[in-house]
Amino acid sequence: SFKTGSAELSENAMRQLDQLGEALLAPELERLDVGLFGHTDATGGARYNLDLSERRAKAVKAYLIKRPKS
């Protein structure tokens, strides 16, 4: 999860993404296409929230790519 108006991953979000990353490495999922979509709350205007949701999705993608593989 993210704080309101932020695209910075929380410690809890990183733990959840670590679990997701492990699951996505399973051989059964190697052909799976995964989409990442950012979401926001109703705070802020539409243009602001669109930008924020894109930054959030990019933050998740960057974290999953860079995270250590076990």
Side-chain angles (χ1 to χ4, degrees):
S1 63
F2 297 93
K3 291 182 181 178
T4 298
S6 175
E8 185 176 329
L9 293 169
S10 67
E11 291 293 323
N12 185 50
M14 287 186 259
R15 284 190 297 274
Q16 291 175 344
L17 290 173
D18 288 339
Q19 294 174 353
L20 174 62
E22 287 298 316
L24 292 174
L25 292 174
E28 301 84 17
L29 302 179
E30 69 182 22
R31 293 181 173 255
L32 182 71
D33 289 327
V34 176
L36 297 173
F37 304 92
H39 294 274
T40 64
D41 58 21
T43 305
R47 183 170 287 177
Y48 173 80
N49 283 331
L50 179 60
D51 175 68
L52 180 58
S53 68
E54 289 173 357
R55 289 187 291 128
R56 288 177 171 181
K58 287 178 183 178
V60 169
K61 179 180 177 182
Y63 184 82
L64 288 173
I65 289 171
K66 293 179 183 177
R67 66 179 279 286
K69 314 299 187 269
S70 50

